[in-house]
Every structure is written in C-alpha cells, then in structure tokens.
Amino acid sequence: EPEVTQTPSHQVTQMGQEVILRCVPISNHLYFYWYRQILGQKVEFLVSFYNNEISEKSEIFDDQFSVERPDGSNFTLKIRSTKLEDSAMYFCASSERQVTEAFFGQGTRLTVV
Amino acid sequence: GENVEQHPSTLSVQEGDSAVIKCTYSDSASNYFPWYKQELGKRPQLIIDIRSNVGEKKDQRIAVTLNKTAKHFSLHITETQPEDSAVYFCAASTGTASKLTFGTGTRLQVTL
C-alpha cells in the first residue's frame, strides 16, 4: 500500500538554526499538507499546497516557515530560524483530491535545544 | 475559522462495552468529517469518515453519525477490544482548502 514517507524521523537542532523537513507524498496525490503536534496536544494545521502554490496557511505559519516542491516527488518544510517552541512532531500529509482522505506520514520529531 | 470541540478527553471502558466520542464544530460550511486513530508515537490513521450529505456511516464495529443542524458528530465503537486503545481525533474540513481542523483528542483505554 502506498504511503507518505518523511525524513528524518528525528531531528535535533540548536535554537536559531535552519531545518528542512522532507516528505515524499503518495505519487498520484495532488494536495499536500504540513501539520504539527506538540507533545500531548492536538494536531494543528500549518499549510496546504496545491498546483505548486500555497492554498491556505494558518497563523502558526509565519515568515519563518516556507514550503517547496523542488521536484516531482519531494515536498519540504523549512524553518529558517528555529525557536524552542518549534519543538513538535511535524506530519506531512497528502490527498488525492479535495474532501478526501488525507494520508499522514510517520512524522519528524523536531527538538530545538 | 473552524473550531472543533471533542469530549470526553479520556474514556475508559471494559472490553466488550461500547465507546462513544462526541465532537461539535462551528463552521456550517464544513462538509467532511474524518476520525483518526493515533497510537503512541505513530501517525494518525483514518478509521472512518463521513460527508455532510450523509447522516450515518458504519464499518464493522465502528460507526459515525452526523447532525448538521446541531453541528455535531459522534464516533461509536461497539464490542471494544484492547487493541482499540489509542487516542482518537475528530476533524472537520471545508472543501475549498481541504485543511483539517482537529479536535483535542480522546484517550480511549479498553481494560480486560
């Protein structure tokens, strides 16, 4: 069964450093998303991406964040200058169409020290 | 924006009993309501979903009901088993952005 894959599974970074989280969505999917989950809390929407542009973003997704689809398979989330409060599990997700099942990757646990 | 509330936050049932988790949403334009199960340290996985043109959907031991007028939807698990123990999240989505707004989660514990 096809699945969304994310790398790395765990990333430790120093405050102020840039990190790039990588995702390979399911190949025939057209909608891509990033969510985050602070330990013990709910899953929060960050950004959605369709047709090579951001379709919606949350208030969390400020100027420190950016997304990119550099080629036909990868979808990346960049955090330019990490803060302690960016520590969370980051999930990439993809869906084939609007209003259909979103498949989640296994997540990248980001720890900012 | 959309706001989804979920209750209870924790639920403990004996094996074989039923479990019910309830959610309410605020945006009447929401039209897609999935339920995700998340085991410790794992990804959220869809267990059932319902669209706004349907009032009820069932898949074996799992069912979801939707009341559009009241803006609430519920997950029903019958004949619970220990492997049902997990955190369950409801979510709501509008068609334009397809983003999911999640509830706060329910930790379900099924005891022997």
Side-chain angles (χ1 to χ4, degrees):
Chain A
E1 184 177 329
E3 60 179 29
V4 176
T5 57
Q6 290 183 243
T7 54
S9 57
H10 192 186
Q11 171 103 38
V12 181
T13 189
Q14 288 202 325
M15 193 167 51
Q17 294 297 302
E18 175 184 288
V19 294
I20 298 176
L21 310 184
R22 302 180 192 280
C23 170
V24 179
I26 295 173
S27 62
N28 63 331
H29 286 189
L30 301 177
Y31 294 82
F32 314 120
Y33 314 88
W34 283 101
Y35 290 85
R36 79 171 187 191
Q37 186 176 33
I38 294 171
L39 188 64
Q41 297 187 23
K42 68 177 178 179
V43 179
E44 298 175 290
F45 169 78
L46 294 178
V47 65
S48 59
F49 192 87
Y50 169 71
N51 200 25
N52 283 319
E53 61 182 24
I54 291 174
S55 47
E56 188 166 354
K57 59 184 180 180
S58 72
E59 58 275 10
I60 302 168
F61 194 88
D62 61 22
D63 292 343
Q64 294 297 313
F65 291 87
S66 62
V67 289
E68 194 176 39
R69 188 154 163 81
D71 52 44
S73 58
N74 290 286
F75 179 52
T76 62
L77 173 70
K78 182 193 289 187
I79 309 175
R80 249 180 290 282
S81 178
T82 50
K83 304 188 281 283
L84 294 176
E85 53 265 37
D86 293 328
S87 295
M89 181 74 93
Y90 287 80
F91 290 105
C92 173
S94 68
S95 62
E96 190 176 357
R97 303 182 300 277
Q98 284 184 325
V99 201
T100 56
E101 177 178 359
F103 291 80
F104 282 76
Q106 79 278 24
T108 293
R109 181 168 297 284
L110 177 65
T111 303
V112 182
V113 296
Chain B
E2 175 66 279
N3 182 48
V4 177
E5 307 229 341
Q6 183 171 348
H7 300 280
S9 56
T10 59
L11 180 60
S12 182
V13 299
Q14 284 202 319
E15 184 180 7
D17 287 351
S18 295
V20 180
I21 303 170
K22 299 184 179 183
C23 289
T24 59
Y25 61 98
S26 61
D27 188 348
S28 56
S30 290
N31 56 6
Y32 175 64
F33 307 91
W35 285 88
Y36 283 84
K37 176 182 180 182
Q38 187 179 32
E39 297 176 358
L40 190 63
K42 301 277 185 71
R43 73 186 81 191
Q45 291 200 290
L46 183 81
I47 55 170
I48 196 166
D49 55 12
I50 191 167
R51 301 179 191 283
S52 57
N53 59 347
V54 175
E56 184 172 356
K57 184 176 177 181
K58 191 172 181 181
D59 182 5
Q60 298 182 354
R61 298 186 295 108
I62 295 171
V64 57
T65 58
L66 171 65
N67 182 327
K68 282 174 55 181
T69 305
K71 289 191 280 191
H72 67 68
F73 55 114
S74 300
L75 177 71
H76 304 252
I77 306 173
T78 58
E79 299 170 32
T80 53
Q81 300 166 2
E83 51 265 37
D84 294 330
S85 296
V87 179
Y88 291 80
F89 290 97
C90 62
S93 173
T94 55
T96 47
S98 293
K99 74 173 191 182
L100 295 173
T101 301
F102 283 83
T104 47
T106 296
R107 182 173 300 279
L108 174 65
Q109 181 72 43
V110 180
T111 57
L112 296 171

